[in-house]
Amino acid sequence: MIGKKICLLGAFAVGKTSLVERFVKGNFKEKYHTTVGVKIDWKIVKVADQEIKLIIWDVAGEDEFQKVKMSNLGGSHGYLLVADGTRGATIETAYQVHQRVIEAAGAIPFVLVLNKIDLTDEWEVDDATVAGLVDRGWDVIRSSAMTGAGVEEAFALISRKIVEK
Amino acid sequence: MGTQSSKPQPSSSARLTELERKQEQAKISELRNLLLGPARVQAERLKPYLDKVEPKDLSRALPTAIRLRNAQDQVLTDSLMPIVAAALKTAVKRDPQAVADAIFPVMAPAIRQAIATTFNQLIQSLDRSLEHSLSLKGLRWRLEAFRTGKSFAEVVLYHTLLFRVEYVFLIHRETGLLLQHVSRDGGEGKNAEIIAGMMTAIKSAWQDFMHDSFGNDPNASLSEIHVSNLAIWFEQGPQLVLACVIRGSAPEELRTNLMAPAIEAIHREQAEEIARFDGDPDPFVTTRHRLESCLQQRYEKPEGDGGFRVSPRLLIPLAVILLALVTWAFFSIRDKLRWSDYVKHLEAQPGIVITETGERNGKFFVAGLRDPMAVDPDRLLRETSMLSPSKVEGRWEAYQTLRPDFILARAKAILAPPDSVTLTLKDGMLDATGSAPRQWISEARRLALAVPGVTGFRGNGVIDEEILQLKAQMENEVPRFIVGTSQFAAGQTETRDRLIADARRLFALADASSLNVRMTVVGHTDETGPAELNDRLSQERAASVKALLVAAGLDGGRMDAMGVGSREPLQANSGAPGSEINRSVTFRVALEGPAPPRKS
């Protein structure tokens, strides 16, 4: 079975680990654990009748002291840029990470995931911002690792983009 | 052309147009020749081929075509795979022998090698277990095995293990994707993907750290990780990484002699697959044997003390022989004990005298004398001993014991006394008491002295059954009298005659048996009338019956007559009609044996 490597990249505490947990194990933990280095998991997904083994690298989030290590990106077939819809600044971080990925690995398939959609009261990102990103050709998916909304779709979309590339 | 056609000159125009058309056609034809000429020629040449592809030509081109396409990509292989698989399936179904013959040269050595390896491991483990089983260290390990619930062999292996490669991973260096892995226990390793990824992540994190901190060459890579007793060794090639998970401490030769050549060979052999790698690990299945070559293990060599050592392999037959001897000795001793118990038991049996015991031809034997009345030795063996009857031989001579119980049993068997007779034996004298038919009594007198062990017989204690019968008969007779008289009532003639006959017979038989017989005639009356009168009347009735018997010729000296009046009524109520039975006489017969002969 063909294996494909994807990375989850983005600012700290946007919910990268929770997205993987929801996608792979189908559960959600309220407690926050910061990821040190990288955590790896896998799941078999089906793209147009073809099964592929998705090897998911959950890379530690970026903050002002530590940038995402591009060395983990090595050989990635695609990546999910994860941002927190309740913290508008994390989209900026995602954008910066995206730029660095292009420098390091060239243009490879990616999807922007705006997480924490369940926190409607605290939502900061307006539709105009999202529309702007879509205009640039970005694929944007709103998700919630807590409710599971959009999670399958995000992973399915990136898988499809990788296969169709 | 546009300018020419714009001139409107109708008269010459038709001719001109004709000319122009010809010129134009020539030009177009030339242009066509220029542009398509070679292609047309080629097409013309190809036409017959297109109409009919000759198998001959196809056969020439096919091998090259296949080779070229195969070098280009895997499409041809993928297309052919189901056809080849189906063909093979059909071939196996139709003629399995042909397929078996074809793959035999490949399978047989592989099977042989697998068996040899298994045996080798088994013998190694057995050697070590044996070697350590008797030493002090061995005892300690045995205790550990008991405590931890592991097998002893497992504990020995653990302690004597120098190193063992437990897993080997082949990882795509750039993506960290797992291409192939093998394990010592043959397990599938569900998390192998994650392990491979983590190894890659750790390697790259370490590389970053070394570069950031010490400015190391960014291409210098991590070659070993140690955690407690576990180590991971990496051997890196240009595109692939070989990772060995090792328990214990392996020698550097593992890397130089096995890992490095393996990764080099894989790069060499799989160059195309590596170049084409798109995440599909299937083409790398052929690297398994290279990975398996790294699954090494080594155990501590036995400490040579220079002295004489028995090879553990030699110990196996010795142990087998010893075990056989011990088993044989155990069964042999057990049988001997059982035998001696049986002989003791047999000896204690009455009527059995053992003269010889021993063993002959692998069997126990016993010889002796046996009274036919004694217990059957075979039955005794079966019922009381665990010893198999097939292991015992007996030889018995018949004899007759003079034990009193046996003499008595013998006498009973010969004389066959009826239940009413009791036989006793004392000092050879057989005593019979009770009652029996006259014939048995006379037979017994004749046979008793022929019974071995019987020196005398006393049969006087046995009363002739007929005497007892007559006695009972007489004691049941109740002849009745007319009221107030000592004259028989009407209809008693028959009773009177019977009385006389019975009494005669009784007296005669008693005489024949030397028995003293004494008969008492008791007179009764009913309760009417005064007691004195009744007493006298009853006395008269008794006396009249006695006189009748005496008159019939019986010995009056052996008869008494007494009256009890109405004191012993035969029926309590004296009113008629039952009261007539009280006007009667009854008989009491006493028998006395002769006094035993006194010793003078």
Side-chain angles (χ1 to χ4, degrees):
Chain A
M1 190 187 301
I2 288 183
K4 294 290 179 191
K5 171 180 171 181
I6 64 162
C7 288
L8 271 76
L9 307 171
F12 75 97
V14 293
K16 294 182 291 297
T17 305
S18 294
L19 284 169
V20 176
E21 189 87 2
R22 164 62 69 190
F23 178 58
V24 175
K25 302 198 176 86
N27 57 22
F28 178 80
K29 289 176 183 142
E30 285 286 350
K31 210 170 169 203
Y32 174 69
H33 289 285
T34 184
T35 303
V36 178
V38 60
K39 272 167 73 175
I40 297 165
D41 223 322
W42 62 270
K43 186 173 176 175
I44 291 169
V45 292
K46 212 167 188 182
V47 179
D49 287 340
Q50 187 194 356
E51 286 196 328
I52 62 171
K53 192 180 250 182
L54 211 55
I55 314 289
I56 306 157
W57 286 49
D58 170 20
V59 180
E62 175 151 325
D63 57 27
E64 63 255 52
F65 307 111
Q66 194 182 335
K67 294 208 176 304
V68 167
K69 290 274 183 200
M70 285 302 136
S71 57
N72 285 321
L73 199 70
S76 266
H77 298 95
Y79 58 98
L80 294 179
L81 274 177
V82 186
D84 179 352
T86 66
R87 288 184 290 149
T90 60
I91 292 184
E92 184 53 36
T93 311
Y95 184 75
Q96 286 165 13
V97 170
H98 172 62
Q99 289 303 323
R100 291 213 307 282
V101 171
I102 290 172
E103 280 167 34
I108 54 173
F110 77 98
V111 171
L112 176 69
V113 181
L114 275 176
N115 197 25
K116 308 194 187 176
I117 198 174
D118 52 290
L119 301 173
T120 40
D121 295 347
E122 298 163 41
W123 197 257
E124 273 186 12
V125 182
D126 55 14
D127 291 347
T129 311
V130 176
L133 290 169
V134 171
D135 285 346
R136 282 168 191 248
W138 285 31
D139 285 308
V140 183
I141 286 184
R142 293 178 183 81
S143 74
S144 165
M146 198 181 95
T147 65
V151 176
E152 287 286 339
E153 289 85 337
F155 282 95
L157 181 58
I158 188 67
S159 304
R160 203 166 64 235
K161 287 179 82 171
I162 288 169
V163 171
E164 286 168 2
K165 188 193 162 191
Chain B
M1 279 191 278
T3 49
Q4 281 171 334
S5 63
S6 64
K7 285 176 185 169
Q9 285 172 328
S11 61
S12 60
S13 69
R15 222 165 359 108
L16 257 175
T17 317
E18 184 65 26
L19 190 72
E20 277 170 357
R21 199 181 297 130
K22 274 187 182 161
Q23 279 174 343
E24 245 174 71
Q25 267 174 356
K27 275 180 194 165
I28 288 168
S29 172
E30 198 183 333
L31 192 63
R32 194 187 287 143
N33 274 339
L34 279 172
L35 286 173
L36 303 171
R40 225 171 57 192
V41 173
Q42 263 180 336
E44 291 292 324
R45 266 216 319 263
L46 278 171
K47 211 177 166 198
Y49 289 99
L50 289 174
D51 290 345
K52 186 184 169 194
V53 177
E54 284 292 329
K56 197 173 69 187
D57 300 322
L58 195 62
S59 73
R60 241 194 330 259
L62 199 58
T64 322
I66 290 174
R67 198 170 57 243
L68 287 173
R69 185 59 202 252
N70 206 36
Q72 193 185 326
D73 57 31
Q74 244 197 310
V75 174
L76 193 63
T77 314
D78 289 347
S79 321
L80 283 176
M81 208 158 67
I83 300 163
V84 173
L88 194 61
K89 218 163 146 184
T90 315
V92 170
K93 208 184 279 174
R94 286 208 190 132
D95 186 6
Q97 190 56 44
V99 180
D101 288 349
I103 62 168
F104 178 75
V106 189
M107 295 299 287
I111 293 169
R112 264 202 303 278
Q113 197 188 346
I115 293 172
T117 311
T118 310
F119 264 97
N120 212 11
Q121 283 173 350
L122 187 73
I123 287 175
Q124 271 184 25
S125 125
L126 202 64
D127 277 0
R128 271 187 295 279
S129 301
L130 280 173
E131 195 177 308
H132 292 288
S133 53
L134 295 170
S135 64
L136 192 66
K137 205 197 285 179
L139 282 176
R140 209 166 55 232
W141 290 349
R142 205 167 270 288
L143 200 68
E144 183 182 331
F146 175 73
R147 218 179 47 234
T148 54
K150 288 181 188 158
S151 80
F152 179 61
E154 227 175 318
V155 173
V156 170
L157 281 182
Y158 179 77
H159 283 289
T160 56
L161 181 72
L162 289 174
F163 80 91
R164 180 168 66 204
V165 179
E166 304 204 320
Y167 303 94
V168 182
F169 296 84
L170 182 66
I171 304 166
H172 190 247
R173 191 175 153 184
E174 191 191 13
T175 57
L177 291 177
L178 180 69
L179 300 182
Q180 193 57 235
H181 81 287
V182 293
S183 67
R184 173 152 291 282
D185 56 11
E188 262 305 295
K190 206 165 176 291
N191 293 322
E193 301 283 356
I194 296 175
I195 295 169
M198 283 311 294
M199 283 178 180
T200 312
I202 291 167
K203 266 169 69 67
S204 76
W206 180 256
Q207 233 160 296
D208 286 353
F209 165 70
M210 290 302 280
H211 178 61
D212 294 352
S213 312
F214 306 109
N216 265 24
D217 171 8
N219 289 321
S221 72
L222 183 68
S223 67
E224 273 184 56
I225 302 173
H226 277 272
V227 185
S228 179
N229 196 27
L230 211 64
I232 305 172
W233 284 17
F234 299 105
E235 186 60 31
Q236 187 156 306
Q239 280 97 24
L240 309 180
V241 179
L242 192 69
C244 288
V245 179
I246 304 162
R247 191 171 292 283
S249 64
E252 195 52 33
E253 288 86 66
L254 177 70
R255 185 189 292 282
T256 53
N257 296 351
L258 293 168
M259 290 176 71
I263 193 78
E264 280 161 19
I266 292 169
H267 269 96
R268 202 169 52 241
E269 292 161 0
Q270 310 284 129
E272 278 181 37
E273 286 82 356
I274 296 169
R276 278 207 308 267
F277 181 64
D278 65 344
D280 183 5
D282 290 349
F284 294 89
V285 113
T286 51
T287 62
R288 261 189 102 82
H289 70 285
R290 296 274 174 209
L291 268 56
E292 276 161 357
S293 73
C294 298
L295 280 177
Q296 297 288 316
Q297 61 177 350
R298 201 171 298 161
Y299 290 93
E300 209 173 86
K301 283 256 170 7
E303 304 136 20
D305 51 7
F308 173 73
R309 286 183 71 88
V310 180
S311 152
R313 278 181 223 185
L314 195 62
L315 277 176
I316 299 173
L318 283 178
V320 170
I321 293 168
L322 192 69
L323 191 70
L325 278 173
V326 168
T327 314
W328 176 80
F330 168 76
F331 284 110
S332 167
I333 289 170
R334 195 190 62 177
D335 278 356
K336 278 201 164 71
L337 288 174
R338 284 176 178 174
W339 171 247
S340 79
D341 275 355
Y342 169 65
V343 170
K344 258 186 228 160
H345 197 177
L346 199 60
E347 241 168 353
Q349 296 300 314
I352 283 185
V353 178
I354 291 173
T355 55
E356 197 183 357
T357 61
E359 277 177 71
R360 201 160 46 195
N361 303 329
K363 279 186 168 185
F364 297 107
F365 80 90
V366 56
L369 304 173
R370 174 177 172 266
D371 190 297
M373 309 292 295
V375 69
D376 176 9
D378 285 345
R379 219 179 89 199
L380 188 75
L381 180 69
R382 278 198 305 277
E383 287 173 0
T384 63
S385 176
M386 303 279 280
L387 203 62
S388 161
S390 64
K391 288 184 182 167
V392 178
E393 252 175 21
R395 209 179 56 228
W396 301 100
E397 296 288 340
Y399 90 114
Q400 282 176 321
T401 175
L402 294 181
R403 286 173 59 105
D405 48 350
F406 273 71
I407 297 173
L408 191 60
R410 212 174 289 142
K412 279 179 183 165
I414 292 171
L415 302 182
D419 292 344
S420 53
V421 170
T422 310
L423 292 178
T424 50
L425 186 80
K426 201 180 173 196
D427 301 331
M429 175 61 73
L430 188 65
D431 256 316
T433 50
S435 62
R438 210 164 34 255
Q439 201 188 342
W440 181 84
I441 297 170
S442 56
E443 278 283 285
R445 279 184 206 286
R446 201 164 55 76
L447 287 174
L449 290 172
V451 176
V454 174
T455 53
F457 178 69
R458 261 201 303 262
N460 302 357
V462 186
I463 299 169
D464 185 345
E465 266 177 358
E466 201 186 341
I467 298 175
L468 293 180
Q469 206 183 322
L470 288 166
K471 172 181 186 287
Q473 234 165 274
M474 291 212 65
E475 283 175 344
N476 276 334
E477 296 287 5
V478 191
R480 289 163 208 179
F481 292 85
I482 298 166
V483 183
T485 71
S486 54
Q487 284 188 354
F488 280 125
Q492 299 292 300
T493 324
E494 210 175 298
T495 311
R496 191 193 60 192
D497 293 348
R498 199 168 57 234
L499 271 174
I500 294 166
D502 285 354
R504 272 195 191 132
R505 179 95 182 127
L506 177 65
F507 277 48
L509 287 176
D511 289 347
S513 306
S514 321
L515 276 175
N516 287 331
V517 63
R518 185 133 209 107
M519 188 159 71
T520 308
V521 186
V522 183
H524 301 272
T525 63
D526 58 20
E527 288 171 11
T528 55
E532 282 166 43
L533 191 69
N534 283 343
D535 282 351
R536 205 180 62 232
L537 182 58
S538 66
Q539 183 65 46
E540 280 170 13
R541 281 174 176 165
S544 77
V545 172
K546 181 184 169 183
L548 177 78
L549 293 172
V550 170
L554 288 157
D555 178 9
R558 288 191 254 174
M559 280 185 276
D560 296 313
M562 63 181 274
V564 292
S566 60
R567 289 190 302 280
E568 291 174 24
L570 296 179
Q571 192 167 325
N573 187 3
S574 59
S579 60
E580 61 190 40
I581 203 169
N582 290 334
R583 301 189 287 271
S584 59
V585 293
T586 54
F587 302 87
R588 293 175 193 166
V589 180
L591 296 167
E592 273 173 28
R598 292 217 179 100
K599 280 185 183 172
S600 55

